[in-house]
Amino acid sequence: MKLIVCLSDDNGMMFNHRRQSRDRILIADMLQHVGTAPLWVTPYSASLFPEDCASLHVVPDPTKVAGENDYCFVEDTPLPQGLENTNEIIIYRWNRLYPSDVFFPCNTSAFSLIKSDEFVGSSHDNITKEIWKK
């Protein structure tokens, strides 16, 4: 599985059962990165994506159904602690400190940063995209 997450400066993911932020250019970048591969999301995250997105699959727990070469965007579901079935992590960093009560809990020591790019989003002056691989 290829895991996708959005994180604040303290690795926060959510606050009070809500996403910290959203950005339409980030979503466009994510869809371009995924291409035609399956993209698994929860019903909570589905509203971020265009309704006609052919690669989008909506299920309650995407980490349990995503295949080896599938992408899984996670905001509101528990992440697999050991990341045994994860071969790539794409992290979008908001480059801001938002209030958080849910944090990225995974140990990424088995992964190496292979690419990092910055871009201007629709709601953020600077978003960093990191690609980590085993």
Side-chain angles (χ1 to χ4, degrees), residues 37-120:
L39 173 61
W40 297 88
V41 301
T42 64
Y44 176 79
S45 300
S47 65
L48 295 172
F49 298 91
E51 289 182 24
D52 63 347
C53 183
S55 62
L56 195 67
H57 302 279
V58 181
V59 295
D61 191 346
T63 62
K64 292 195 172 154
V65 295
E68 180 180 352
N69 294 309
D70 295 354
Y71 289 87
C72 183
F73 176 54
V74 176
E75 294 184 285
D76 64 328
T77 55
L79 290 164
Q81 291 285 330
L83 298 175
E84 292 86 8
N85 296 327
T86 303
N87 53 37
E88 182 175 312
I89 303 172
I90 295 108
I91 299 175
Y92 288 96
R93 296 195 181 272
W94 295 121
N95 295 310
R96 291 186 185 169
L97 187 59
Y98 286 117
S100 308
D101 56 13
V102 175
F103 297 88
F104 185 68
C106 303
N107 180 353
T108 59
S109 62
F111 294 79
S112 298
L113 179 64
I114 63 156
K115 189 173 183 182
S116 180
D117 291 315
E118 294 184 354
F119 61 93
V120 176

Side-chain angles (χ1 to χ4, degrees), residues 4 29-39 55 71-72 90 129:
I4 304 172
D29 183 84
M30 187 186 308
L31 290 174
Q32 181 178 6
H33 183 96
V34 168
T36 59
L39 173 61
S55 62
Y71 289 87
C72 183
I90 295 108
K129 177 184 179 182

